[in-house]
Amino acid sequence: QVQLVQSGAEVKKPGSSVRVSCKTSGDTFDTYAFSWVRQAPGQGLEWMGRIVPLLDVVTSAQSFQDRVTITADKPTNTTYMELRRLRPDDTAVYYCARRGRDGPFDSWGQGTLVIVSS
Amino acid sequence: EVVLTQSPGTLSLSPGERATLSCRASQSITRNYIAWYQQTPGQAPRVLFYGASTRATGIPDRFSGGGSGTDFTLTISSLEPEDSAIYYCHHYSSSPTFGGGTRVEIK
């Protein structure tokens, strides 16, 4: 059974960067697409971007395009999301999610809380 | 980008009652690429349905999904206390989007 395990909570200053990792186990890695989705406190879900490790193809949501970098390390079955120039409104839980064969996000990481505060 | 509008914002119902959640898309959805997720406090979302009406593994049959075009629904035929959650619809396309969510409260 696939499992996505994310790195731990972070507290960052405005203007800095954060990198969150997501390690996959229990299934093949590189043939799936992995997305990053964030959820601000008390708010809904916001898609940030995705990577297909096999092709090293990355697609980012327009609202994050100049601030987010998504990468994958195939030997360790890990995907990373780096968000730069952090602002207080980037405070959120960040999830990685795997797009299943049928299309929806069928497996999710446990979430990583990122707090941006001076 | 497809905008998904969910209604109502909150449903407050008693156990055993029927809940009907709506998800309206700003344009017609091809191939019914709509999924529904359930999220309980402190947890990641869990997929309930994909393809608008295909139930994911392990989802009880009191849940049903339907719709096409621009209008989709999630129905819970007889609410259980554990159904208290926020439910999101999701258009899984090359540019994925989520609805704003419907909170279901059990009285």
Side-chain angles (χ1 to χ4, degrees), chain A residues 6 17 28 32 34 37 56 73 77 81 91 94 103:
Chain A
Q6 298 182 220
S17 299
T28 58
Y32 287 92
F34 291 85
V37 177
D56 237 349
D73 182 60
N77 290 354
M81 185 282 299
T91 294
Y94 290 77

Side-chain angles (χ1 to χ4, degrees), chain A residues 18-29:
Chain A
V18 68
R19 191 169 89 146
V20 181
S21 68
C22 171
K23 184 174 175 63
T24 299
S25 62
D27 200 352
T28 58
F29 173 69

Side-chain angles (χ1 to χ4, degrees), chain A residues 35 37 39 42-47 50 59 95 99 102-111, chain B residues 33 35 37 39 42-47 49-50 88 90 92-100:
Chain A
S35 279
V37 177
Q39 186 169 39
Q43 302 300 307
L45 303 166
E46 182 178 24
W47 181 74
R50 72 166 159 265
T59 306
Y95 292 102
R99 177 174 167 142
D102 294 309
F105 296 169
D106 65 353
S107 298
W108 294 67
Q110 82 277 20
Chain B
Y33 276 0
Y37 299 87
Q39 187 180 35
Q43 300 297 311
R46 171 176 77 140
V47 63
F49 288 90
Y50 57 92
Y88 294 96
H90 169 214
Y92 49 96
S93 66
S94 56
S95 195
T97 54
F98 292 91

Side-chain angles (χ1 to χ4, degrees), chain A residues 69-103:
Chain A
T69 299
I70 297 172
T71 56
D73 182 60
K74 291 189 275 290
T76 61
N77 290 354
T78 303
T79 180
Y80 298 89
M81 185 282 299
E82 181 186 43
L83 189 61
R84 298 179 293 280
R85 302 194 301 277
L86 289 167
R87 308 183 294 247
D89 63 357
D90 290 319
T91 294
V93 175
Y94 290 77
Y95 292 102
C96 60
R98 187 187 79 166
R99 177 174 167 142
R101 301 277 186 228
D102 294 309

Side-chain angles (χ1 to χ4, degrees), chain A residues 58-69:
Chain A
V58 176
T59 306
S60 302
Q62 192 133 13
S63 51
F64 294 99
Q65 243 165 16
D66 62 341
R67 292 202 298 141
V68 73
T69 299

